[in-house]
Amino acid sequence: MQRVLAYDAYACTLTVEAGIKLHDLHQVLAHRNMALSSVGSISDQSVAGAMATATHGTGVGFGDISSMITQLVLIDGTGKRHVCDHQNNKDLFDAARCSLGALGIVTQVTIQCEPAFALHAVQTPTTLDAAIDDLDKFVHSAEHVRLWWFPHTDNAVAWRANRTHMELESSPDSFIRDRLYGFHIYQMQLYKARFKPDSIPSLTRKHFANRFALQKEWVDDSYRVFNFDCLFPQYVNEWAVPLEQASSALRQLRRWVNSQERERNGARVHFPVEVRFVRESDVWLSPAYHRTVCYIGVIMYRPYHKPVPYRKYWQAFEDIMRTHQGRPHWAKAHSMFYFDLQSTYPKFDDFVLMRELCDPHGIFVNDYIRRHVLSPSQSRSLASDTSRYVAQNDPKL
Ligand SMILES: Cc1cc2nc3c(=O)[nH]c(=O)nc-3n(C[C@H](O)[C@H](O)[C@H](O)COP(=O)(O)OP(=O)(O)OC[C@H]3O[C@@H](n4cnc5c(N)ncnc54)[C@H](O)[C@@H]3O)c2cc1C
């Protein structure tokens, strides 16, 4: 399901089957001199998967992928086909643009794009305070802004990108700095730190010590600048808090990390903490629903054979995010359940009702949906298990 179905040069929209991968979509768009306005760190996802979880990039003036969709086609759990957009079937449209797959299968989408553009990216060392003391100034310092904070220190790297007509000049990556040290040696050090967690803060400081290596400037096609290498396997947890709560949330997180460092068996956390910004949306389950947000993401290195302790960090992080009206990223680890979600999303009950209408037999209910979207009583009463449903209704399958 990855064909291009229609293209409107005047409106700058493209209609595609929803299974197309973002990597392929960038090429298809470039061929028509168009591009997505904002993209996250990778492009391995399908458009449908990225949309279903409100996947986002960064830029306070730019929405998540769900908000870029102007029309979609959904086959619901009863087999009925719906075409919806801002004018027709508006409620279903607002629910289905971030649906976690719970309403049915999205077969095609129309995406609002913009004329193809290059980005001029500049990466500079800074401090956490320099960014959050006047956050408003920081978020407006470029069209696309993100911050990587190095916990256990006040160090940070600011990444800014603006549309440009400058000549393309690809990223000055070097094998020694970016692959050998930045990936292999650093990963080995993190693995060793698994057995000696007290070394993590000094490892983080050392990584920042050569601050000139963190300084970079380049010009490239937009999607190449938006994407970058996420390095090694990680545990990830990311929440969106209202923009005006972000400085306080980050300060509280820093206080917690510092207090842990003073404790003998306190948590030691890996870098970076990633800070991004997304414009408000009218999609019911977008974490940016009716508020411009700051996404704060934490990671812990995840060696294959020796799990690192990360739950204490996650718990403290989530407690801080909750007290700052946070909503978790749907596609990352989080511990919000039905009642928590109901209290933070004004349209949550409407979404639950829409799910009942679209999928009364629970064809699309999986463990995730059962945990997060079904009320405890629904969870008990619904057949909910695809194989059971199919067996009952069509024993031949
Ligand atoms: C290395 C890495 C980096 C990432 N970086 C970012 C980032 O920068 N920003 C960000 O916001 N997120 C990021 N993510 C999260 C990622 O964007 C989401 O996990 C995304 O949902 C994955 O899309 P997918 O196509 O793999 O979908 P899947 O994982 O297959 O599915 C995701 C959801 O979409 C639903 N779905 C899929 N196809 C359809 C369909 N046709 N109809 C209806 N529902 C459907 C599924 O039911 C499921 O609920 C990252 C993830 C990784 C692994």
Side-chain angles (χ1 to χ4, degrees):
M1 288 178 57
Q2 51 183 327
R3 285 175 306 167
V4 176
L5 302 174
Y7 151 60
D8 183 336
Y10 183 70
C12 211
T13 59
L14 186 78
T15 303
V16 285
E17 289 182 329
I20 191 169
K21 300 279 185 204
L22 294 185
H23 274 307
D24 297 328
L25 182 66
H26 298 319
Q27 300 310 319
V28 167
L29 287 171
H31 193 62
R32 290 162 177 80
N33 201 28
M34 301 197 296
L36 296 179
S37 297
S38 177
V39 182
S41 311
I42 57 163
S43 289
D44 304 78
Q45 314 94 315
S46 63
V47 175
M51 178 186 77
T53 55
T55 287
H56 64 92
T58 189
V60 76
F62 300 86
D64 52 38
I65 292 217
S66 313
S67 70
M68 296 175 198
I69 306 301
T70 60
Q71 189 179 68
L72 61 84
V73 175
L74 173 89
I75 311 293
D76 75 13
T78 67
K80 195 167 161 202
R81 183 177 186 271
H82 305 267
V83 180
C84 46
D85 56 33
H86 286 290
Q87 281 77 41
N88 308 297
N89 270 333
K90 169 86 168 109
D91 278 357
L92 183 56
F93 184 57
D94 290 345
R97 281 182 290 161
C98 174
S99 70
L100 315 168
L103 306 182
I105 298 176
V106 174
T107 56
Q108 72 180 60
V109 292
T110 301
I111 312 166
Q112 182 64 60
C113 306
E114 66 173 285
F117 58 97
L119 282 173
H120 174 209
V122 181
Q123 198 173 290
T124 40
T126 180
T127 64
L128 181 62
D129 284 323
I132 63 178
D133 280 354
D134 191 347
L135 191 69
D136 205 46
K137 188 168 160 207
F138 179 69
V139 298
H140 290 102
S141 60
E143 290 171 325
H144 303 274
V145 177
R146 61 149 60 93
L147 186 81
W148 290 290
W149 167 47
F150 291 45
H152 296 292
T153 80
D154 193 34
N155 300 325
V157 172
W159 175 99
R160 294 180 174 88
N162 282 311
R163 281 156 185 69
T164 183
H165 294 296
M166 288 160 74
E167 286 288 301
L168 301 195
E169 190 188 319
S170 57
S171 168
D173 288 343
S174 89
F175 173 77
I176 303 261
R177 185 192 61 201
D178 297 302
R179 286 313 293 172
L180 185 65
Y181 183 74
F183 183 81
H184 296 293
I185 295 181
Y186 182 55
Q187 187 176 7
M188 206 174 71
Q189 289 169 328
L190 283 178
Y191 187 77
K192 271 165 58 189
R194 167 69 189 90
F195 303 94
K196 212 174 154 228
D198 280 346
S199 64
I200 292 173
S202 64
L203 183 60
T204 304
R205 282 186 197 101
K206 230 164 62 196
H207 201 77
F208 194 82
N210 186 5
R211 61 209 311 270
F212 297 109
L214 299 168
Q215 213 155 323
K216 280 190 194 175
E217 185 170 353
W218 70 105
V219 178
D220 210 337
D221 291 322
S222 55
Y223 55 92
R224 292 206 180 92
V225 175
F226 285 132
N227 282 173
F228 69 96
D229 189 345
C230 295
L231 301 178
F232 22 77
Q234 299 156 8
Y235 298 101
V236 289
N237 197 338
E238 186 181 31
W239 286 52
V241 299
L243 189 56
E244 42 307 343
Q245 301 266 353
S247 296
S248 161
L250 283 162
R251 282 204 185 90
Q252 208 167 316
L253 185 60
R254 176 171 58 186
R255 270 201 299 279
W256 181 83
V257 171
N258 291 346
S259 73
Q260 289 297 303
E261 198 177 332
R262 287 192 293 274
E263 277 182 31
R264 230 170 100 73
N265 288 319
R268 306 287 186 268
V269 310
H270 294 152
F271 84 88
V273 171
E274 186 172 35
V275 182
R276 294 183 278 183
F277 307 96
V278 175
R279 193 185 63 203
E280 73 175 281
S281 151
D282 58 353
V283 176
W284 289 356
L285 290 195
S286 164
Y289 179 74
H290 281 191
R291 58 195 208 171
T292 291
V293 293
C294 169
Y295 271 94
I296 302 176
V298 292
I299 64 147
M300 285 294 279
Y301 168 54
R302 180 183 194 161
Y304 285 115
H305 304 301
K306 187 79 187 162
V308 296
Y310 67 95
R311 291 185 192 281
K312 191 175 176 187
Y313 184 22
W314 266 211
Q315 176 75 53
F317 171 71
E318 293 204 345
D319 288 348
I320 294 168
M321 295 302 117
R322 281 170 199 257
T323 57
H324 288 85
Q325 298 166 32
R327 294 172 183 156
H329 192 313
W330 292 108
K332 307 201 178 177
H334 69 89
S335 64
M336 289 279 261
F337 295 103
Y338 180 83
F339 293 112
D340 311 301
L341 293 163
Q342 191 185 35
S343 67
T344 182
Y345 281 98
K347 286 290 194 178
F348 194 75
D349 287 340
D350 296 277
F351 184 86
V352 171
L353 188 61
M354 191 64 84
R355 197 214 62 75
E356 278 172 39
L357 293 172
C358 287
D359 187 23
H361 307 296
I363 295 266
F364 293 102
V365 170
N366 55 23
D367 285 346
Y368 187 95
I369 299 300
R370 197 174 290 119
R371 269 200 312 272
H372 300 290
V373 182
L374 296 187
S375 69
S377 61
Q378 266 181 323
S379 197
R380 276 191 299 274
S381 67
L382 204 63
S384 76
D385 175 322
T386 311
S387 51
R388 247 168 70 199
Y389 176 78
V390 170
Q392 280 161 9
N393 291 278
D394 193 345
K396 290 190 297 298
L397 289 181

